Amino acid sequence: GAVVSQHPSRVICKSGTSVKIECRSLDFQATTMFWYRQFPKQSLMLMATSNEGSKATYEQGVEKDKFLINHASLTLSTLTVTSAHPEDSSFYICSARDITGYEQYFGPGTRLTVT
Amino acid sequence: AQKVTQAQTEISVVEKEDVTLDCVYETRDTTYYLFWYKQPPSGELVFLIRRNSFDEQNEISGRYSWNFQKSTSSFNFTITASQVVDSAVYFCALSEVKAAGNKLTFGGGTRVLVKP
């Protein structure tokens, strides 16, 4: 089946530093990848949609300069949280949609803690 | 704009009881997909089912069953004879079929606690 990986699974960083999270589709090509954020005991909120080779589309209220998304290939998208602050601490989940269907395959998530 | 409402925030049952999770959605599109996902404590989302708007047949998969009622914009999920391993947060989600994106809108989730 379709597998999506995320790296790292957990990261702790200091306030003011930047953190990069990778999302890879392991056995299929993903023309579209999505990034979600989930705060404790809350639902998933879509942050942005990225299409391979083009700029990401950000949801309202998401700072594009803070959350940099790059979708450089059909199997890799990265989310960089720049100048992280404690309020950026969250569970970040990516998903990938293949070119054949409407189903999204989710990665295992990355738990970011900013101290 | 699309919206998904899961009115039950938490349900607690004793093992072997049945539990039904409600999901009500809003969309202006005539073509859309509905999903259910399970999120165990590990955090990874587990896909359970996808249903398109033209298929109102109910579905059963083992102890899981789904009731899609387009007339009431509901897509309810029932776990029969619940087990402790069913304890998780369950999300209902909606995806409109558009030229690009097909992004998912999630409901708030229902936390199910199955006690032994």
Side-chain angles (χ1 to χ4, degrees), chain A residues 4-11 19-25 30-39 43-64 66-82 88 90-97 104-112, chain B residues 45 101-106:
Chain A
V4 175
S5 70
Q6 275 184 248
H7 179 78
S9 57
R10 288 179 178 271
V11 57
V19 174
K20 180 185 284 189
I21 302 170
E22 292 186 349
C23 177
R24 292 182 185 272
S25 56
T31 52
T32 304
M33 287 186 171
F34 303 87
W35 287 96
Y36 296 85
R37 179 167 55 182
Q38 185 181 30
F39 291 110
S43 187
L44 284 76
M45 297 299 294
L46 180 66
M47 298 175 66
T49 302
S50 74
N51 293 296
E52 185 265 337
S54 62
K55 289 185 179 180
T57 302
Y58 291 81
E59 294 298 300
Q60 195 171 9
V62 178
E63 300 174 58
K64 59 181 67 176
K66 181 168 186 59
F67 298 100
L68 301 179
I69 291 172
N70 185 285
H71 193 160
S73 76
L74 285 172
T75 59
L76 173 65
S77 176
T78 60
L79 167 67
T80 302
V81 182
T82 63
D88 298 325
S90 186
F91 192 52
Y92 291 87
I93 305 173
C94 75
S95 70
R97 183 172 67 87
Q104 291 184 28
Y105 303 97
F106 284 85
T110 296
R111 194 164 300 282
L112 169 64
Chain B
L45 282 176
N102 297 320
K103 57 187 182 183
L104 284 169
T105 297
F106 283 85

Side-chain angles (χ1 to χ4, degrees), chain B residues 19-58:
Chain B
V19 56
T20 295
L21 311 181
D22 298 333
C23 173
V24 175
Y25 61 92
E26 295 176 28
T27 177
R28 294 179 184 172
D29 278 16
T30 55
T31 305
Y32 51 88
Y33 287 89
L34 294 163
F35 301 79
W36 274 96
Y37 291 91
K38 174 182 179 180
Q39 187 177 42
S42 64
E44 185 164 0
L45 282 176
V46 177
F47 167 80
L48 296 178
I49 189 172
R50 179 185 73 218
R51 171 70 67 213
N52 76 53
S53 53
F54 296 111
D55 183 1
E56 287 194 68
Q57 267 193 329
N58 292 328

Side-chain angles (χ1 to χ4, degrees), chain B residues 36-101:
Chain B
W36 274 96
Y37 291 91
K38 174 182 179 180
Q39 187 177 42
S42 64
E44 185 164 0
L45 282 176
V46 177
F47 167 80
L48 296 178
I49 189 172
R50 179 185 73 218
R51 171 70 67 213
N52 76 53
S53 53
F54 296 111
D55 183 1
E56 287 194 68
Q57 267 193 329
N58 292 328
E59 182 156 339
I60 298 175
S61 176
R63 295 184 297 107
Y64 295 166
S65 62
W66 291 269
N67 184 348
F68 179 25
Q69 298 266 349
K70 208 169 178 179
S71 60
T72 56
S73 298
S74 66
F75 186 42
N76 297 337
F77 171 37
T78 298
I79 303 173
T80 304
S82 60
Q83 300 176 0
V84 173
V85 292
D86 296 327
S87 296
V89 180
Y90 291 85
F91 291 100
C92 180
L94 167 70
S95 173
E96 292 174 341
V97 178
K98 293 181 178 175

